[in-house]
Amino acid sequence: MKRQIFKIFLGLAACLFLSSCGFKDIDKRIFVQAIGIDHSDNEKEPYKVILKIAVPSGALKESGTKYAYISKQGSSLSEAIRFLKSHTDKELDFGHAKVIVLGDSVLEHSLHDVLDFFFRRRDIQMISWVAVGKPSAEKVLKVHPKTEMSGTFALSNFFSDNGVESPYIVSSFLFDARRRIVESGFDPILPIIQTKGDKHKLMVNQSVVFSGVKNTKTLQLSSMQTKYYNLLANNIDKMDIKVGKGQKEFTFSVDSAKVKYKIITSGKKPVLKMDILVGGIIEESKFDMSPKDLNKYSRRAAKHTKKEALKLLTLFQDKDVDPLGFGLRYKATRLSNGKRIEEWKNLYPDLTFDVSVDAKIMSTGTIE
């Protein structure tokens, strides 16, 4: 009996040392939807942080979504954000920050230095999307698309696949950006969000590749190059391939895609052998097409796809960038000797691309 009383007393005494939780009620919080970073002209305070904050509305049926914006310059991101807490009467909650937009002006600096704050901070989700804003992050964040409805966030719809699905959009999570920055043989690539003076229009159809020790901006990809990057990197199966010119032109709608490759170093010269398989139907044509000639059309589509893929691979090689992760594949498929990345850097400039494309056009469309 005395032992049981002692245990109870000990348990009650331990409760005296328990601290209360630091939870704040939801009415004491305000939720940050997106974070923008621009470079200021002040070298002592180079970073300008812009927060896009959701303003609570009384009813979900109200048209549109209201936002508030606060910004501050600072010598570091943490300094600027902590100062911004004094600009609002509620606790800034970053748990719902879905998009991080880097202004075009900060791309000349190390990507790792800019994102280091987000990698370390515990309340920033690693599944947030990272993108580049043109002409600035602030102008991109302040765009209000007319199609944005209550309870939704337009910027996240571009990258989540729950909204738009486009072969021109590259999605990059924060955790993937960190992996590419830290890991050797795999260069970061981020989508570009553009706005051109229109407060209601955003465009996402280009991307930018970073490389080097400091991961600075190296190569900007056009819309067409971004589309073929998505084909090679993500096996994207909802894209169109325009084949031929003039009256011999037709558009091949890809419904399925598969890309595989291997790096062969047993010969005199290193070879990257890549096999691409695409299948689909004819979506548009400027001439009458016959179902009997599907093999002929397939060969034309395969030839065109091979040409575009080789152009993109050669561009990456010439610019010494590797967003497809060839170097990582080389390192991962060989026994570690501590020098695999150095070996790859010497191999990459002399690498020969052997690309084969198998295109299968199933029909000339629903009307034949």
Side-chain angles (χ1 to χ4, degrees):
M1 185 67 181
K2 292 182 178 180
R3 183 176 295 180
Q4 292 179 347
I5 295 175
F6 176 75
K7 289 181 178 179
I8 294 173
F9 175 78
L10 189 63
L12 293 175
C15 293
L16 298 175
F17 297 95
L18 295 177
S19 60
S20 61
C21 68
F23 178 77
K24 294 186 189 304
D25 292 332
I26 194 170
D27 60 331
K28 300 296 189 296
R29 296 171 177 265
I30 192 164
F31 297 97
V32 177
Q33 293 288 293
I35 306 171
I37 305 171
D38 283 323
H39 191 272
S40 67
D41 296 330
N42 186 353
E43 291 301 326
K44 293 183 178 180
E45 297 181 337
Y47 297 111
K48 181 180 181 182
V49 178
I50 308 98
L51 303 182
K52 186 171 187 174
I53 302 172
V55 178
S57 60
L60 188 62
K61 294 183 179 179
E62 292 182 7
S63 61
T65 303
K66 297 180 180 180
Y67 295 103
Y69 301 90
I70 54 177
S71 62
K72 181 69 175 72
Q73 293 183 18
S75 59
S76 66
L77 299 183
S78 57
E79 177 191 355
I81 288 178
R82 290 191 181 281
F83 198 94
L84 286 174
K85 288 189 174 185
S86 64
H87 289 198
T88 175
D89 64 321
K90 296 179 177 62
E91 179 68 17
L92 292 175
D93 193 312
F94 293 92
H96 292 267
K98 298 179 180 179
V99 181
I100 300 169
V101 182
L102 309 178
D104 194 45
S105 56
V106 302
L107 299 186
E108 303 302 326
H109 299 73
S110 171
L111 186 62
H112 182 275
D113 292 346
V114 176
L115 293 178
D116 184 66
F117 168 80
F118 301 103
F119 297 153
R120 297 175 183 274
R121 193 174 172 100
R122 62 185 180 275
D123 56 348
I124 300 290
Q125 295 191 63
M126 294 301 286
I127 56 172
S128 300
W129 288 286
V130 185
V132 175
K134 279 193 172 186
S136 68
E138 184 173 16
K139 290 186 177 180
V140 166
L141 292 185
K142 290 187 176 181
V143 171
H144 290 270
K146 294 182 179 180
T147 55
E148 188 174 55
M149 302 174 64
S150 297
T152 64
F153 184 41
L155 281 178
S156 65
N157 287 340
F158 281 107
F159 310 115
S160 65
D161 286 337
N162 293 326
V164 63
E165 295 182 37
S166 171
Y168 299 100
I169 297 176
V170 172
S171 296
S172 178
F173 288 109
L174 181 59
F175 73 83
D176 185 56
R178 183 185 185 279
R179 178 172 70 106
R180 289 169 176 256
I181 290 172
V182 175
E183 184 64 74
S184 55
F186 207 5
D187 290 332
I189 180 170
L190 300 180
I192 297 176
I193 308 174
Q194 298 183 72
T195 179
K196 296 181 179 179
D198 190 339
K199 295 183 178 180
H200 303 288
K201 184 178 180 180
L202 291 171
M203 297 174 291
V204 185
N205 52 35
Q206 295 182 15
S207 55
V208 59
V209 182
F210 299 80
S211 70
V213 177
K214 294 186 177 181
N215 283 286
T216 53
K217 177 183 176 182
T218 302
L219 175 64
Q220 181 171 327
L221 302 182
S222 65
S223 300
M224 190 64 63
Q225 291 167 341
T226 300
K227 180 173 72 172
Y228 278 94
Y229 165 80
N230 269 327
L231 173 64
L232 300 181
N234 303 316
N235 295 337
I236 192 164
D237 55 3
K238 292 183 179 179
M239 63 176 290
D240 62 279
I241 297 176
K242 190 177 292 185
V243 182
K245 294 182 180 180
Q247 296 303 313
K248 294 295 183 179
E249 179 181 294
F250 67 87
T251 301
F252 172 36
S253 176
V254 176
D255 298 326
S256 62
K258 186 176 181 180
V259 179
K260 59 181 181 179
Y261 68 89
K262 58 182 177 180
I263 302 171
I264 304 171
T265 57
S266 57
K268 293 182 179 180
K269 280 192 174 183
V271 177
L272 189 144
K273 183 174 177 55
M274 178 178 287
D275 297 319
I276 303 173
L277 175 63
V278 289
I281 65 172
I282 300 297
E283 191 172 56
E284 187 177 1
S285 175
K286 291 188 177 181
F287 62 95
D288 293 335
M289 307 188 79
S290 172
K292 297 179 181 180
D293 296 328
L294 287 180
N295 289 336
K296 176 182 175 182
Y297 306 142
S298 296
R299 288 193 296 269
R300 289 182 58 189
K303 182 179 179 180
H304 178 83
T305 305
K306 177 180 178 179
K307 177 183 176 183
E308 294 299 326
L310 279 172
K311 283 171 59 178
L312 185 61
L313 293 172
T314 304
L315 176 65
F316 289 158
Q317 186 182 43
D318 292 341
K319 297 295 183 178
D320 194 23
V321 296
D322 190 7
L324 293 168
F326 295 145
L328 183 62
R329 171 72 67 88
Y330 177 84
K331 183 175 67 171
T333 53
R334 285 154 179 82
L335 292 175
S336 176
N337 60 3
K339 300 179 180 179
R340 292 303 183 189
I341 287 301
E342 287 72 16
E343 290 177 8
W344 171 252
K345 290 179 180 179
N346 294 328
L347 286 175
Y348 193 32
D350 299 324
L351 193 67
T352 301
F353 298 105
D354 180 10
V355 179
S356 62
V357 180
D358 183 9
K360 294 184 178 180
I361 299 179
M362 307 303 178
S363 72
T364 57
T366 55
I367 298 177
E368 296 184 354

